[in-house]
Amino acid sequence: MRLPRSGAGWTIAVFGLLALLLGALGLIWPETQLRLLGFEVPAERAPGDYTGTFLTASSMASFNMGVYYLLAVATEWRPFYRFTVWFRLVTFTVFTIAVLSDVAPDRFFGVAAWEGLGAVATAVGLWWDARRATAPTAGATGSEGSAPVPATDAVR
């Protein structure tokens, strides 16, 4: 796997790696994952309690999402980067509403904040990459330039 080639790529790589690792954590040690999210872990589950089933499904989704994000970084798939900005903002909104309406514990707001900050970081990375791509090259100004980054898709 090659390292990200852009600022936006680094934000996607960090999120992808963390999604993959946290998904694996939920699959291997589900109780730890629940505690991290601020949920109670009873000694015994009542009949009809499908917390474990739901946690397995969401952890597998997180693991898979991490792989998708890392694949996008490996291919520098910039349309995917833009797509994630909008949908991570939607996720931030939904998770924040869940906390404010007492559907989720207050500690779950950390997940919402992570999504919102990640969306902003990727948007800033896309903007920065676009700016870098339009900056004069080293030959034109005599200053040191960096490797060109495809940025025809700056945040719109």
Side-chain angles (χ1 to χ4, degrees):
M1 174 107 186
R2 71 174 91 170
L3 292 175
R5 299 182 300 275
S6 65
W10 276 103
T11 68
I12 296 293
V14 167
F15 182 77
L17 184 61
L18 286 172
L20 186 132
L21 293 174
L22 289 171
L25 176 70
L27 291 169
I28 297 167
W29 294 297
E31 294 82 16
T32 303
Q33 182 78 301
L34 288 171
R35 284 186 187 98
L36 281 172
L37 293 170
F39 294 108
E40 291 182 31
V41 180
E44 213 174 287
R45 294 276 176 193
D49 180 348
Y50 296 105
T51 302
T53 304
F54 182 77
L55 186 60
T56 298
S58 61
S59 293
M60 193 66 230
S62 177
F63 186 90
N64 286 342
M65 186 172 54
V67 171
Y68 303 153
Y69 272 64
L70 293 174
L71 179 61
V73 170
T75 61
E76 191 68 22
W77 188 21
R78 298 183 66 78
F80 179 81
Y81 298 0
R82 286 192 318 274
F83 175 83
T84 67
V85 169
W86 296 108
F87 278 88
R88 289 184 78 188
L89 289 172
V90 168
T91 303
F92 163 78
T93 303
V94 170
F95 288 178
T96 299
I97 290 169
V99 171
L100 294 176
S101 61
D102 290 328
V103 171
D106 291 346
R107 193 168 183 185
F108 196 71
F109 182 72
V111 178
W114 170 252
E115 292 289 343
L117 292 172
V120 170
T122 299
V124 169
L126 287 165
W127 170 82
W128 183 68
D129 293 342
R131 216 172 141 186
R132 250 182 44 196
T134 59
T137 61
T141 64
S143 64
E144 290 185 31
S146 58
V149 174
T152 57
D153 58 355
V155 176
R156 297 180 196 339

